[in-house]
Amino acid sequence: MPRQHLRTKDAAVNMQAVRKHMNQYLVNEPQAVAIETVMQNDGFTLVQGPPGTGKTRTILALISLLLASGPKVDSDSGGSTRLLVCAPSNAAVDEIAQRLKMGIVNAQGKVEVPRIVRVGQLESMNSAVRDISLDRLLEEELGNFTLDRKASALNKAADNKGDPRRWSSNKIDPQLSLVYTQYLELTQKQTSIEQRLAQANNEIARLRKEESTTGQLQSSQIAMAIADRKQLSGELSHTRANILASKKSFEALKRRLRNAVLGRAQVVLATLSGSGHESLGVFVTAHRFQCVIVDEASQAVEMSALIPLRYGPTKCVFVGDPNQLPPTVLSLDAGSYGYNQSLFVRMMLNNCDVQLLSIQYRMHPSISYLPSSLFYDRRLLDAENLSVSRSASWHRLAPFFAPLVFFDVDGFEKVGTTINNSSSHSLYNLREAQFAVLLVRCLALLFPGESLFGRIGVITPYKQQLRLLRNQFRNAFGNDVTDGPIDFNTIDGFQGQEKDIILFSCVRAGSSLGFLNDRRRINVAITRAKQSLFIIGNYNALVNASTSTSTSIPSSISDITTKNGGNAINETINGKTNGSGNGNQSHNKQTPYWSTLLTYVRDNSLLIPNARKALLEFARPQKIDLFAKNEPALKNLLNS
């Protein structure tokens, strides 16, 4: 792309078009503005999507509008409008693919399924999208070229006329049909000869055994069998030679059919690395992608994000959030040289305009207030009636089960061991894990009529704590508790997911914040919950650790936004939190996020001091036993 296209244009967005997008695609105003910005501008457009702001919905609406606005792709001969959608992970690509299979709104306001192809390794894809993989569609295409299946293939195409997911060609080229049929007949002939040759060998062995056992000469029969074997061996050699000769034509046929499948596609989906697939490279020599859309762009290393740009699109849209975790880079040296900086962030640093999706639909307002103030300059707003739609029956038992609670557990951090008892650098905190079990048990017993199956997530920064949490919950609720009822993961592993209830075990209880000293990790941790966020940690230890890594402690959240100059994003990407992602660097020198969070929960009566004792005292008048085994009331947690 030309250098001048590295920044979006400053032209005012057409608000009439914005309102039209809102009505037609059922998106909110910030989403519609982002979509219209892409439509107005060539070159790069950056779309920042904080947690719960509908990034995928925006991408789907944008795909629909791009397809509706450009020249049509003819299902038989190919055409002009073709989009490439990428992401760093297979999971992110498959999520978009599944949503596309459900249909998008076309120019006439009707829901239709576009012609989509998923490029990549079949075994790496979600089973729900394998039917639209390039390999599977190629198999279907080849099936249409067998002469004896021609009529059934055409009938099948007619039967599936209303299902756009089935769009293989129903025009069979006689020459291509002949190539494939000849190749198929030769391979079938080879199989038949190999079977007959095996039978001949068995017959010779049988005759020789019979001759040695009975003493009766079988010379003539053996000679005939050997002659048959010799003839079959000759036929097999000749057939194999013919197969080798026809293989070149067959491979050319496959390439032609692969290009035909891609040529009829409106949307091609691949991981960033998969977008460099040889089949796409060959295809793009004759065709091109008008637009490349990269989801989770802020989680991709810069080199990966460059791969799909080789196809020279007119538009390129990066969707991501630099205030969440960056690309995973294991090498500390590579991280120190900025290898974990995404292309999204590099372009932000070069003053490329960013379209912010500013309305969140995930978190209860009591939860979203913190990340909005700490990381998004209070620009992250709540959708209408979110306090009602995200309310829960247990909220009436505040402060213990309010939407946001900090449970002060006087635990100790310790260095863990691996399965073979060798030393590990990962940390664990036994008291926090034990308290998490009590908290979930209390919630389940207090609300036996509330189904909690699959609604709880337990996250922590450390893998050793993750193993301990799983073991503690299995001991308390049985082995099945980790196979559906409750999800357990590290903070990094839970990015992109959400649950009604999140338990966040901080682990740290010493003089350092460690992994917790990365504001992007904090942001991910406190934005996973929809109804309740329960933070479990050693309050005083965290206060002391956050104070030691801060130059000053603000008195309120308004103080922190003032000190930021109203730009938390730039502080994040200008290197103050830039590291290898291992959390061992002291990032928060200028803005004490942990100090502010802890001050906020204290000043707003969201802190439960000495939480274990307080919870036991709270449970006593409720007449529930937090230590009972196999409590029947826990079926609301363990059964779907």
Side-chain angles (χ1 to χ4, degrees):
M1 290 184 181
R3 174 67 183 176
Q4 62 267 27
H5 284 165
L6 285 177
R7 298 175 183 172
T8 57
K9 299 176 182 178
D10 295 328
V13 175
N14 183 339
M15 291 308 297
Q16 184 177 354
V18 167
R19 287 189 289 271
K20 180 180 178 181
H21 302 333
M22 292 173 65
N23 293 329
Q24 182 163 358
Y25 301 110
L26 302 180
V27 294
N28 60 41
E29 184 172 314
Q31 293 169 339
V33 168
I35 292 168
E36 181 58 21
T37 300
V38 174
M39 300 305 296
Q40 287 186 11
N41 300 336
D42 287 341
F44 287 94
T45 302
L46 304 186
V47 179
Q48 182 182 11
T53 53
K55 294 187 291 291
T56 303
R57 173 183 284 270
T58 304
I59 290 172
L60 294 173
L62 177 59
I63 290 173
S64 180
L65 183 58
L66 286 167
L67 293 179
S69 302
K72 305 303 179 185
V73 175
D74 186 89
S75 61
D76 296 321
S77 61
S80 298
T81 303
R82 191 170 292 104
L83 313 177
L84 176 62
V85 180
C86 301
S89 66
N90 281 291
V93 175
D94 291 341
E95 172 64 22
I96 296 175
Q98 290 185 71
R99 297 282 290 273
L100 285 172
K101 285 180 63 177
M102 295 168 62
I104 55 178
V105 178
N106 62 17
Q108 290 72 42
K110 298 181 180 179
V111 176
E112 68 174 15
V113 181
R115 295 187 294 275
I116 51 182
V117 175
R118 172 72 162 92
V119 176
Q121 296 294 325
L122 202 63
E123 59 273 14
S124 300
M125 299 178 195
N126 187 302
S127 59
V129 302
R130 290 179 181 174
D131 62 320
I132 57 167
S133 69
L134 180 58
D135 291 341
R136 287 282 174 84
L137 293 173
L138 181 59
E139 289 176 5
E140 291 184 10
E141 196 76 4
L142 285 171
N144 287 341
F145 279 81
T146 55
L147 292 177
D148 57 339
R149 292 185 187 176
K150 179 175 180 179
S152 63
L154 290 172
N155 290 335
K156 182 180 179 182
D159 292 340
N160 291 321
K161 187 176 181 181
D163 184 357
R165 285 172 290 180
R166 293 290 175 263
W167 42 269
S168 55
S169 174
N170 60 5
K171 292 184 178 180
I172 297 182
D173 186 317
Q175 183 179 359
L176 293 179
S177 179
L178 180 61
V179 169
Y180 182 60
T181 303
Q182 287 177 342
Y183 180 83
L184 195 63
E185 289 176 349
L186 285 170
T187 55
Q188 292 172 345
K189 183 177 180 181
Q190 174 181 278
T191 301
S192 175
I193 294 174
E194 288 173 342
Q195 291 173 347
R196 290 161 57 197
L197 189 58
Q199 293 173 355
N201 286 328
N202 291 337
E203 178 66 10
I204 292 171
R206 185 190 68 77
L207 290 172
R208 284 176 173 167
K209 182 178 180 180
E210 183 178 322
E211 185 179 60
S212 63
T213 302
T214 62
Q216 298 179 359
L217 296 178
Q218 305 287 345
S219 302
S220 60
Q221 290 179 302
I222 291 175
M224 290 176 62
I226 292 175
D228 287 344
R229 181 176 66 180
K230 183 177 180 180
Q231 180 180 351
L232 289 171
S233 297
E235 290 182 20
L236 182 61
S237 298
H238 185 260
T239 300
R240 285 173 174 169
N242 289 337
I243 288 176
L244 288 175
S246 66
K247 189 173 183 179
K248 185 176 182 180
S249 298
F250 177 63
E251 291 300 324
L253 166 65
K254 288 178 66 175
R255 285 193 298 271
R256 180 170 173 178
L257 293 181
R258 187 180 293 114
N259 286 342
V261 170
L262 290 170
R264 290 190 295 272
Q266 295 171 295
V267 184
V268 177
L269 301 106
T271 60
L272 289 170
S273 57
S275 67
H277 195 282
E278 178 187 3
S279 60
L280 279 181
V282 173
F283 167 75
V284 175
T285 58
H287 305 80
R288 60 190 297 266
F289 294 107
Q290 283 64 46
C291 180
V292 169
I293 301 172
V294 180
D295 192 17
E296 294 185 348
S298 57
Q299 295 181 50
V301 294
E302 192 167 333
M303 295 299 183
S304 295
L306 294 174
I307 296 174
L309 303 186
R310 64 189 288 224
Y311 303 123
T314 303
K315 300 176 184 290
C316 182
V317 185
F318 284 165
V319 183
D321 183 9
N323 279 340
Q324 297 187 62
L325 287 166
T328 300
V329 176
L330 300 180
S331 169
L332 295 179
D333 289 337
S336 67
Y337 285 102
Y339 185 70
N340 64 339
Q341 177 181 267
S342 65
L343 185 56
F344 189 109
V345 167
R346 177 184 289 274
M347 297 178 68
M348 287 183 69
L349 291 172
N350 281 276
N351 299 318
C352 186
D353 292 342
V354 180
Q355 304 303 315
L356 178 68
L357 306 182
S358 57
I359 300 177
Q360 70 89 15
Y361 297 84
R362 174 185 295 169
M363 298 167 277
H364 189 286
S366 297
I367 302 173
S368 65
Y369 179 78
L370 263 178
S372 178
S373 301
L374 291 174
F375 309 111
Y376 300 102
D377 193 22
R378 293 187 178 177
R379 296 172 64 198
L380 183 59
L381 308 176
D382 300 317
E384 289 185 22
N385 300 318
L386 206 56
S387 59
V388 175
S389 62
R390 289 291 180 255
S391 65
S393 57
W394 54 84
H395 287 167
R396 61 183 173 83
L397 295 181
F400 277 93
F401 296 104
L404 173 62
V405 186
F406 189 105
F407 292 97
D408 174 31
V409 175
D410 188 20
F412 304 93
E413 63 178 57
K414 294 184 179 180
V415 177
T417 57
T418 59
I419 295 176
N420 58 6
N421 293 322
S422 60
S423 61
S424 168
H425 296 294
S426 188
L427 301 179
Y428 71 95
N429 189 315
L430 178 60
R431 288 188 180 179
E432 287 188 15
Q434 292 172 334
F435 180 81
V437 171
L438 288 180
L439 187 62
V440 170
R441 183 184 289 277
C442 183
L443 183 63
L445 293 175
L446 284 172
F447 298 92
E450 186 82 47
S451 176
L452 298 175
F453 184 93
R455 298 174 64 188
I456 300 176
V458 180
I459 60 176
T460 180
Y462 293 94
K463 289 184 178 180
Q464 188 69 22
Q465 181 73 354
L466 178 62
R467 287 189 283 267
L468 177 62
L469 284 162
R470 283 175 173 152
N471 289 335
Q472 290 289 316
F473 273 80
R474 285 168 181 158
N475 292 337
F477 302 110
N479 292 333
D480 291 342
V481 73
T482 58
D483 295 327
I486 301 177
D487 282 351
F488 297 82
N489 214 326
T490 60
I491 297 173
D492 299 44
F494 212 81
Q495 178 161 289
Q497 301 181 59
E498 62 183 23
K499 289 289 181 182
D500 288 341
I501 303 169
I502 289 291
L503 278 67
F504 169 24
S505 173
C506 298
V507 179
R508 299 310 295 237
S511 60
S512 171
L513 290 175
F515 278 125
L516 297 178
N517 206 24
D518 188 327
R519 75 193 67 190
R520 295 164 298 191
R521 187 169 282 111
I522 303 173
N523 188 25
V524 172
I526 67 176
T527 55
R528 302 303 98 196
K530 294 192 288 185
Q531 294 179 303
S532 284
L533 171 64
F534 301 139
I535 304 175
I536 305 171
N538 188 319
Y539 183 84
N540 289 330
L542 290 172
V543 167
N544 293 333
S546 60
T547 302
S548 65
T549 58
S550 305
T551 56
S552 62
I553 297 183
S555 59
S556 66
I557 283 186
S558 60
D559 188 27
I560 194 173
T561 56
T562 302
K563 289 185 177 183
N564 278 347
N567 200 340
I569 298 174
N570 282 341
E571 184 175 328
T572 299
I573 64 178
N574 270 320
K576 296 183 180 65
T577 61
N578 192 22
S580 65
N582 62 6
N584 292 325
Q585 295 81 7
S586 293
H587 296 318
N588 299 330
K589 294 296 185 182
Q590 299 300 322
T591 308
Y593 286 85
W594 264 106
S595 296
T596 307
L597 186 154
L598 296 168
T599 301
Y600 176 78
V601 297
R602 181 198 66 197
D603 293 348
N604 288 275
S605 301
L606 302 174
L607 171 65
I608 307 294
N610 197 355
R612 186 178 187 278
K613 180 182 178 181
L615 186 65
L616 293 177
E617 291 178 352
F618 171 77
R620 192 173 294 117
Q622 309 293 335
K623 296 182 179 181
I624 57 175
D625 185 356
L626 297 184
F627 301 97
K629 291 283 187 178
N630 302 318
E631 173 63 52
L634 293 177
K635 63 182 181 180
N636 64 329
L637 171 66
L638 301 176
N639 299 327
S640 58

CSV table of all heavy atoms in Angstrom, one decimal, residues 604-638:
chain,number,residue,atom,x,y,z
A,604,ASN,N,-15.7,2.1,48.5
A,604,ASN,CA,-17.1,1.9,48.1
A,604,ASN,C,-17.7,0.6,48.8
A,604,ASN,O,-18.7,0.1,48.3
A,604,ASN,CB,-17.1,1.7,46.5
A,604,ASN,CG,-16.9,3.0,45.8
A,604,ASN,OD1,-17.9,3.8,45.6
A,604,ASN,ND2,-15.7,3.3,45.4
A,605,SER,N,-17.1,0.3,49.9
A,605,SER,CA,-17.6,-0.8,50.7
A,605,SER,C,-17.7,-2.1,49.9
A,605,SER,O,-18.7,-2.9,50.1
A,605,SER,CB,-19.0,-0.4,51.3
A,605,SER,OG,-18.9,0.7,52.1
A,606,LEU,N,-16.8,-2.4,49.0
A,606,LEU,CA,-16.8,-3.6,48.2
A,606,LEU,C,-15.7,-4.6,48.8
A,606,LEU,O,-15.4,-5.6,48.2
A,606,LEU,CB,-16.5,-3.3,46.8
A,606,LEU,CG,-17.5,-2.3,46.1
A,606,LEU,CD1,-17.1,-2.0,44.7
A,606,LEU,CD2,-18.9,-2.9,46.1
A,607,LEU,N,-15.1,-4.2,49.9
A,607,LEU,CA,-14.0,-5.0,50.5
A,607,LEU,C,-14.6,-5.8,51.7
A,607,LEU,O,-15.2,-5.3,52.6
A,607,LEU,CB,-12.9,-4.1,50.9
A,607,LEU,CG,-11.8,-4.8,51.8
A,607,LEU,CD1,-11.0,-5.8,51.0
A,607,LEU,CD2,-10.8,-3.7,52.3
A,608,ILE,N,-14.3,-7.1,51.6
A,608,ILE,CA,-14.7,-8.0,52.8
A,608,ILE,C,-13.5,-8.4,53.5
A,608,ILE,O,-12.7,-9.3,53.1
A,608,ILE,CB,-15.5,-9.3,52.3
A,608,ILE,CG1,-16.6,-8.9,51.4
A,608,ILE,CG2,-15.9,-10.1,53.5
A,608,ILE,CD1,-17.8,-8.2,52.1
A,609,PRO,N,-13.1,-7.7,54.6
A,609,PRO,CA,-11.9,-8.0,55.4
A,609,PRO,C,-12.1,-9.4,56.0
A,609,PRO,O,-13.2,-9.9,56.3
A,609,PRO,CB,-11.8,-6.9,56.4
A,609,PRO,CG,-12.7,-5.9,56.0
A,609,PRO,CD,-13.8,-6.6,55.2
A,610,ASN,N,-10.9,-10.1,56.2
A,610,ASN,CA,-10.9,-11.4,56.8
A,610,ASN,C,-12.0,-12.2,56.3
A,610,ASN,O,-12.9,-12.7,57.0
A,610,ASN,CB,-11.0,-11.2,58.4
A,610,ASN,CG,-10.6,-12.5,59.1
A,610,ASN,OD1,-10.3,-13.5,58.5
A,610,ASN,ND2,-10.6,-12.4,60.4
A,611,ALA,N,-12.0,-12.5,55.0
A,611,ALA,CA,-13.1,-13.0,54.3
A,611,ALA,C,-13.6,-14.4,54.7
A,611,ALA,O,-14.8,-14.7,54.7
A,611,ALA,CB,-12.8,-13.0,52.8
A,612,ARG,N,-12.6,-15.3,55.0
A,612,ARG,CA,-13.0,-16.6,55.4
A,612,ARG,C,-13.9,-16.6,56.7
A,612,ARG,O,-15.0,-17.2,56.7
A,612,ARG,CB,-11.8,-17.5,55.6
A,612,ARG,CG,-12.1,-19.0,55.9
A,612,ARG,CD,-10.8,-19.8,56.0
A,612,ARG,NE,-11.1,-21.2,56.1
A,612,ARG,CZ,-11.5,-21.8,57.2
A,612,ARG,NH1,-11.7,-21.2,58.4
A,612,ARG,NH2,-11.8,-23.1,57.2
A,613,LYS,N,-13.4,-15.9,57.7
A,613,LYS,CA,-14.2,-15.8,58.9
A,613,LYS,C,-15.6,-15.1,58.7
A,613,LYS,O,-16.6,-15.5,59.2
A,613,LYS,CB,-13.4,-15.0,60.0
A,613,LYS,CG,-14.1,-14.8,61.3
A,613,LYS,CD,-13.3,-14.0,62.3
A,613,LYS,CE,-14.0,-13.8,63.6
A,613,LYS,NZ,-13.2,-12.9,64.5
A,614,ALA,N,-15.5,-14.0,57.9
A,614,ALA,CA,-16.8,-13.3,57.6
A,614,ALA,C,-17.8,-14.2,56.8
A,614,ALA,O,-19.0,-14.2,57.1
A,614,ALA,CB,-16.5,-12.1,56.7
A,615,LEU,N,-17.3,-15.0,55.9
A,615,LEU,CA,-18.2,-15.9,55.2
A,615,LEU,C,-18.8,-17.0,56.1
A,615,LEU,O,-20.0,-17.3,55.9
A,615,LEU,CB,-17.4,-16.6,54.0
A,615,LEU,CG,-18.3,-17.4,53.0
A,615,LEU,CD1,-19.2,-16.5,52.3
A,615,LEU,CD2,-17.4,-18.1,52.0
A,616,LEU,N,-18.0,-17.5,57.0
A,616,LEU,CA,-18.5,-18.6,57.9
A,616,LEU,C,-19.6,-18.0,58.8
A,616,LEU,O,-20.6,-18.6,59.1
A,616,LEU,CB,-17.4,-19.2,58.7
A,616,LEU,CG,-16.3,-20.0,57.9
A,616,LEU,CD1,-15.2,-20.5,58.8
A,616,LEU,CD2,-17.0,-21.2,57.2
A,617,GLU,N,-19.3,-16.8,59.3
A,617,GLU,CA,-20.3,-16.1,60.1
A,617,GLU,C,-21.6,-15.8,59.4
A,617,GLU,O,-22.7,-15.8,59.9
A,617,GLU,CB,-19.7,-14.8,60.7
A,617,GLU,CG,-18.6,-15.1,61.7
A,617,GLU,CD,-18.0,-13.8,62.3
A,617,GLU,OE1,-18.3,-12.7,61.7
A,617,GLU,OE2,-17.1,-13.9,63.2
A,618,PHE,N,-21.4,-15.4,58.1
A,618,PHE,CA,-22.6,-15.1,57.2
A,618,PHE,C,-23.4,-16.4,57.0
A,618,PHE,O,-24.6,-16.3,56.9
A,618,PHE,CB,-22.1,-14.5,55.9
A,618,PHE,CG,-23.2,-14.3,54.9
A,618,PHE,CD1,-24.1,-13.3,54.9
A,618,PHE,CD2,-23.2,-15.3,53.8
A,618,PHE,CE1,-25.1,-13.2,54.0
A,618,PHE,CE2,-24.2,-15.1,52.9
A,618,PHE,CZ,-25.1,-14.1,52.9
A,619,ALA,N,-22.7,-17.5,56.8
A,619,ALA,CA,-23.4,-18.7,56.5
A,619,ALA,C,-24.1,-19.4,57.7
A,619,ALA,O,-25.1,-20.1,57.5
A,619,ALA,CB,-22.4,-19.7,55.9
A,620,ARG,N,-23.7,-19.1,58.9
A,620,ARG,CA,-24.2,-19.7,60.1
A,620,ARG,C,-25.7,-19.5,60.2
A,620,ARG,O,-26.5,-20.5,60.4
A,620,ARG,CB,-23.4,-19.3,61.3
A,620,ARG,CG,-23.8,-20.2,62.6
A,620,ARG,CD,-22.8,-19.8,63.7
A,620,ARG,NE,-21.5,-20.1,63.4
A,620,ARG,CZ,-20.5,-19.2,63.3
A,620,ARG,NH1,-20.7,-17.9,63.5
A,620,ARG,NH2,-19.3,-19.6,63.0
A,621,PRO,N,-26.2,-18.3,60.2
A,621,PRO,CA,-27.7,-18.1,60.4
A,621,PRO,C,-28.5,-18.5,59.1
A,621,PRO,O,-29.7,-18.7,59.2
A,621,PRO,CB,-27.8,-16.5,60.5
A,621,PRO,CG,-26.6,-16.0,59.9
A,621,PRO,CD,-25.5,-17.0,60.2
A,622,GLN,N,-27.8,-18.8,58.0
A,622,GLN,CA,-28.4,-19.3,56.8
A,622,GLN,C,-28.7,-20.8,56.9
A,622,GLN,O,-29.3,-21.4,56.1
A,622,GLN,CB,-27.6,-19.0,55.6
A,622,GLN,CG,-27.2,-17.5,55.4
A,622,GLN,CD,-28.3,-16.6,55.2
A,622,GLN,OE1,-29.4,-17.0,54.7
A,622,GLN,NE2,-28.1,-15.3,55.6
A,623,LYS,N,-28.1,-21.4,58.0
A,623,LYS,CA,-28.2,-22.8,58.3
A,623,LYS,C,-27.7,-23.7,57.1
A,623,LYS,O,-28.4,-24.6,56.6
A,623,LYS,CB,-29.7,-23.2,58.6
A,623,LYS,CG,-30.2,-22.5,59.9
A,623,LYS,CD,-31.6,-22.9,60.2
A,623,LYS,CE,-32.0,-22.2,61.5
A,623,LYS,NZ,-33.4,-22.6,61.9
A,624,ILE,N,-26.5,-23.3,56.6
A,624,ILE,CA,-25.9,-24.1,55.5
A,624,ILE,C,-24.5,-24.5,56.0
A,624,ILE,O,-23.8,-23.8,56.7
A,624,ILE,CB,-25.8,-23.3,54.2
A,624,ILE,CG1,-25.0,-22.0,54.4
A,624,ILE,CG2,-27.1,-23.1,53.6
A,624,ILE,CD1,-24.7,-21.3,53.1
A,625,ASP,N,-24.1,-25.7,55.7
A,625,ASP,CA,-22.9,-26.3,56.1
A,625,ASP,C,-21.9,-26.2,54.9
A,625,ASP,O,-22.0,-26.9,53.9
A,625,ASP,CB,-23.0,-27.8,56.5
A,625,ASP,CG,-21.7,-28.4,57.1
A,625,ASP,OD1,-20.7,-27.7,57.1
A,625,ASP,OD2,-21.8,-29.5,57.6
A,626,LEU,N,-20.9,-25.3,55.0
A,626,LEU,CA,-20.0,-25.1,53.9
A,626,LEU,C,-18.9,-26.2,53.8
A,626,LEU,O,-18.1,-26.2,52.9
A,626,LEU,CB,-19.2,-23.8,54.1
A,626,LEU,CG,-20.1,-22.5,54.1
A,626,LEU,CD1,-19.3,-21.3,54.2
A,626,LEU,CD2,-21.0,-22.5,52.8
A,627,PHE,N,-18.9,-27.2,54.7
A,627,PHE,CA,-17.9,-28.2,54.7
A,627,PHE,C,-18.6,-29.6,54.5
A,627,PHE,O,-17.9,-30.6,54.5
A,627,PHE,CB,-17.1,-28.3,56.0
A,627,PHE,CG,-16.4,-27.0,56.3
A,627,PHE,CD1,-16.9,-26.0,57.1
A,627,PHE,CD2,-15.2,-26.7,55.6
A,627,PHE,CE1,-16.3,-24.8,57.3
A,627,PHE,CE2,-14.5,-25.5,55.9
A,627,PHE,CZ,-15.1,-24.6,56.7
A,628,ALA,N,-19.9,-29.6,54.2
A,628,ALA,CA,-20.6,-30.9,54.0
A,628,ALA,C,-20.2,-31.6,52.7
A,628,ALA,O,-19.9,-30.9,51.7
A,628,ALA,CB,-22.1,-30.7,54.1
A,629,LYS,N,-20.0,-32.9,52.7
A,629,LYS,CA,-19.7,-33.6,51.5
A,629,LYS,C,-21.0,-34.1,50.8
A,629,LYS,O,-22.0,-34.5,51.5
A,629,LYS,CB,-18.8,-34.9,51.9
A,629,LYS,CG,-17.4,-34.5,52.4
A,629,LYS,CD,-16.5,-34.1,51.3
A,629,LYS,CE,-15.1,-33.9,51.7
A,629,LYS,NZ,-14.2,-33.6,50.6
A,630,ASN,N,-21.0,-34.1,49.5
A,630,ASN,CA,-22.1,-34.6,48.7
A,630,ASN,C,-23.4,-34.0,49.1
A,630,ASN,O,-24.4,-34.7,49.2
A,630,ASN,CB,-22.1,-36.2,48.9
A,630,ASN,CG,-20.8,-36.8,48.4
A,630,ASN,OD1,-20.2,-36.4,47.4
A,630,ASN,ND2,-20.4,-37.8,49.2
A,631,GLU,N,-23.4,-32.7,49.3
A,631,GLU,CA,-24.7,-32.0,49.6
A,631,GLU,C,-25.6,-32.1,48.4
A,631,GLU,O,-25.3,-31.7,47.3
A,631,GLU,CB,-24.4,-30.6,49.9
A,631,GLU,CG,-25.6,-29.7,50.1
A,631,GLU,CD,-26.4,-30.1,51.3
A,631,GLU,OE1,-25.8,-30.3,52.4
A,631,GLU,OE2,-27.6,-30.3,51.1
A,632,PRO,N,-26.8,-32.7,48.6
A,632,PRO,CA,-27.8,-32.8,47.5
A,632,PRO,C,-28.1,-31.5,46.8
A,632,PRO,O,-28.4,-31.4,45.6
A,632,PRO,CB,-29.0,-33.4,48.1
A,632,PRO,CG,-28.5,-34.1,49.4
A,632,PRO,CD,-27.4,-33.3,49.8
A,633,ALA,N,-28.1,-30.4,47.6
A,633,ALA,CA,-28.4,-29.1,47.0
A,633,ALA,C,-27.4,-28.7,45.9
A,633,ALA,O,-27.7,-27.8,45.1
A,633,ALA,CB,-28.5,-28.0,48.1
A,634,LEU,N,-26.2,-29.3,45.9
A,634,LEU,CA,-25.2,-28.9,44.9
A,634,LEU,C,-25.5,-29.4,43.5
A,634,LEU,O,-24.7,-29.2,42.6
A,634,LEU,CB,-23.8,-29.4,45.3
A,634,LEU,CG,-23.3,-28.8,46.6
A,634,LEU,CD1,-22.0,-29.4,47.0
A,634,LEU,CD2,-23.1,-27.3,46.5
A,635,LYS,N,-26.6,-30.0,43.3
A,635,LYS,CA,-27.0,-30.5,42.0
A,635,LYS,C,-27.2,-29.3,41.0
A,635,LYS,O,-27.0,-29.5,39.8
A,635,LYS,CB,-28.2,-31.4,42.0
A,635,LYS,CG,-29.5,-30.6,42.5
A,635,LYS,CD,-30.7,-31.6,42.5
A,635,LYS,CE,-31.9,-30.8,43.0
A,635,LYS,NZ,-33.1,-31.7,43.0
A,636,ASN,N,-27.5,-28.2,41.5
A,636,ASN,CA,-27.7,-27.0,40.7
A,636,ASN,C,-26.3,-26.5,40.1
A,636,ASN,O,-26.3,-25.8,39.1
A,636,ASN,CB,-28.3,-25.8,41.4
A,636,ASN,CG,-27.5,-25.3,42.6
A,636,ASN,OD1,-26.7,-26.1,43.2
A,636,ASN,ND2,-27.6,-24.1,42.9
A,637,LEU,N,-25.2,-27.0,40.7
A,637,LEU,CA,-23.9,-26.6,40.2
A,637,LEU,C,-23.4,-27.7,39.3
A,637,LEU,O,-22.7,-27.4,38.2
A,637,LEU,CB,-22.9,-26.4,41.4
A,637,LEU,CG,-21.4,-26.3,41.0
A,637,LEU,CD1,-21.2,-25.0,40.3
A,637,LEU,CD2,-20.6,-26.3,42.3
A,638,LEU,N,-23.6,-29.0,39.6
A,638,LEU,CA,-23.0,-30.1,38.9
A,638,LEU,C,-23.8,-30.6,37.8
A,638,LEU,O,-23.3,-31.3,36.9
A,638,LEU,CB,-22.7,-31.2,39.9
A,638,LEU,CG,-21.8,-30.9,41.1
A,638,LEU,CD1,-21.7,-32.0,42.1
A,638,LEU,CD2,-20.4,-30.4,40.6
